């Protein structure tokens, strides 16, 4: 059996590879490890609207309470909300049941440690080892965890203000988002594609509370329609709606709302690289960008490197995956990071990507400067990119082969400062991904095809 945890928790086909039995085992093992030394252990549990989330939440709750941990279920909320509330309520762990942008039949379990931080590899390995032992600690009597409402959680030591009911956790998250936005958005109209996902209620509420006029689409989840032809992986609907309504911009979230992509008033896509560039420049002007540094992955376009260099901002790159961006942000105490796919992380306000906050910050910059999104996004000129996926027998061996490395070096010599080459094994398949960026698209295609042939021949 391979490693249970992937790049973003445990994920699989619900009621198949991701069974209730596995959910119970994972949550129980996580509770044992993350609640050690806690007299009044509390877990915050949330989910997206997938039909299977109800089943898996029951299993997760059983696993947590069987390990002696009290559970506060906050219902349907975005992933960053669960992370935020885990820290706010001094919980020893948080659990989000979601498969993010994946189709409805899939689901996943994301676990947060105290403070709302994602787990590192070592903690995940300890959880997996405990599951394999199949000898869970099971308290009895008064030691069994309870399923609490907000008042009960307060009685058990959780840091929940008296004015908040269970439903009030949603209100507190919206307040947090509006406070973080820090700008009145009155006068701006946004089309918000909620992907029939976890932000279908709190997303529109946050933008309206910040003063914007909101046209919400795909905000009627029925348990089966999440990410179905909508959201950040299908931008056609939000593009059309922005033009139809004459809105200032459109924002598209994914199923658990930890990512956000945008379109300008003409319906042109503004990707994660452009969003990061706009926010980075705004933060640098405000003196909020620590060491004038932005953290992104190696998949960010060369255009972002150029734009940041011209703006006097250092761009630090990590491996692909928001967890690696988060690790680098924490290591250097940097204040902004993200991915081309739309994850944008602002550590001052949250411990994970937050699509709603990203959209609010983007609109705050528009309101502050009184400039259109297309004008702000023009700071970045995307360099043509060619990506070729090459099926191989042993991806790690091929990627290290001397003849492949020689070919990469030769391509880099040919490109000089006008482009770059990235060759990396897939994280989930027997593929080697060959990416070439060059100011000349014909040259980019030719070099990518040549490299792909070299990889395939090994």
């Amino acid at each position: 059996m391979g490693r249970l945890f992937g790049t973003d928790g445990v994920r699989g086909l619900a009621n198949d590879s991701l069974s209730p039995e596995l959910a119970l085992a994972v949550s129980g093992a996580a509770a044992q490890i993350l609640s050690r030394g806690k007299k009044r252990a509390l877990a915050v549990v949330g989910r997206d609207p997938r039909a299977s989330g109800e089943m898996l939440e029951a299993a997760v709750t059983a696993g947590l309470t069987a390990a002696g941990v009290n559970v506060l279920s906050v219902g349907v909320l975005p992933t960053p909300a669960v992370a935020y509330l885990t820290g706010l309520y001094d919980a020893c762990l948080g659990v989000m049941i979601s498969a993010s942008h994946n189709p409805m039949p899939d689901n996943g379990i994301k676990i947060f440690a105290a403070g709302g931080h994602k787990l590192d590899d070592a903690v995940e390995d300890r959880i997996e080892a405990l599951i394999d032992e199949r000898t869970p600690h099971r308290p009895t009597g008064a030691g069994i965890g309870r399923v609490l409402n907000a008042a009960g959680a307060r009685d058990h030591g959780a840091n929940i203000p008296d004015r908040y009911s269970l439903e009030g956790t949603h209100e507190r998250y919206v307040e947090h988002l509006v406070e973080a936005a820090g700008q009145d958005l009155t006068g701006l109209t946004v089309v918000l594609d909620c992907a029939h996902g976890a932000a279908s209620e709190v997303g529109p509420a946050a933008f309206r509370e910040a003063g914007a006029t909101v046209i919400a689409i795909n905000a009627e989840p029925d348990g089966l329609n999440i990410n179905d032809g909508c959201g950040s992986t299908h931008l056609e609907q939000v593009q059309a709606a922005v033009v139809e309504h004459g809105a200032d911009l459109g924002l598209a979230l994914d199923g658990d709302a930890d990512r956000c992509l945008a379109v300008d008033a003409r319906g042109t896509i503004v990707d994660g690289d452009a969003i990061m560039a706009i926010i980075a420049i705004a933060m640098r002007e405000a003196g909020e960008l620590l060491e004038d540094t932005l953290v992104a992955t190696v998949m960010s376009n060369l255009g972002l490197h150029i734009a940041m260099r011209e703006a006097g901002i250092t761009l630090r790159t990590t491996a692909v995956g928001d967890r690696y961006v988060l690790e680098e942000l924490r290591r250097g105490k940097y204040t902004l990071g993200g991915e081309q796919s739309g994850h944008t992380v602002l550590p001052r306000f949250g411990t994970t990507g937050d699509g709603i906050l990203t959209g609010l910050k983007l609109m705050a910059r528009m309101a502050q400067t009184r400039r259109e999104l297309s004008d702000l996004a023009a700071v970045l000129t995307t360099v043509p990119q060619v990506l070729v996926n090459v099926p191989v027998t042993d991806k790690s061996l091929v990627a290290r082969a001397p003849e492949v490395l020689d070919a990469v070096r030769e391509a880099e010599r040919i490109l000089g400062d006008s482009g770059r080459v990235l060759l990396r094994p897939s994280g989930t398949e027997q593929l080697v991904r060959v990416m070439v960026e060059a100011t000349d698209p014909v040259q980019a295609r030719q070099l990518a095809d040549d490299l792909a042939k070299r990889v395939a021949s090994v």
Side-chain angles (χ1 to χ4, degrees), residues 299 386-392 422-427 429-436 445 448-449 451-453 455-456:
M299 291 303 292
V386 177
L387 178 65
V388 182
N389 294 322
V390 186
V392 296
L422 178 65
L423 186 144
R424 68 181 185 90
S426 165
E429 303 172 86
Q430 283 295 343
L431 296 173
V432 172
R433 305 192 193 281
V434 176
M435 187 190 79
V436 177
R445 169 54 66 183
D449 288 344
L451 276 173
K453 290 176 184 177
V455 168

Side-chain angles (χ1 to χ4, degrees), residues 24-25 28-29 32 63 66-67 130-139:
L24 187 146
Q32 287 189 58
L130 192 57
I131 293 171
D132 291 340
E133 288 179 12
R134 301 184 183 278
T135 55
H137 168 67
R138 293 280 174 81

Side-chain angles (χ1 to χ4, degrees), residues 167-249:
E167 293 75 17
T169 57
H170 296 214
E171 299 164 8
R172 182 65 192 96
Y173 178 56
V174 169
E175 288 178 9
H176 160 70
L177 291 169
V178 175
E179 289 168 6
Q183 178 75 42
D184 184 1
L185 303 183
T186 299
L188 289 176
T189 298
V190 59
V191 174
L192 183 65
D193 186 341
C194 300
H196 294 305
S200 293
E201 290 187 12
V202 296
F207 285 95
R208 290 187 179 114
E209 189 68 22
T213 298
V214 181
I215 301 165
I217 63 173
N218 300 313
E220 298 177 351
D222 62 10
L224 306 178
N225 57 3
I226 188 169
N227 298 320
D228 187 8
C230 57
S232 63
T233 53
H234 301 277
L235 296 172
E236 300 83 7
Q237 288 194 51
V238 71
Q239 288 176 290
V242 166
V243 175
E244 176 187 350
H245 293 283
D248 295 292
L249 78 161

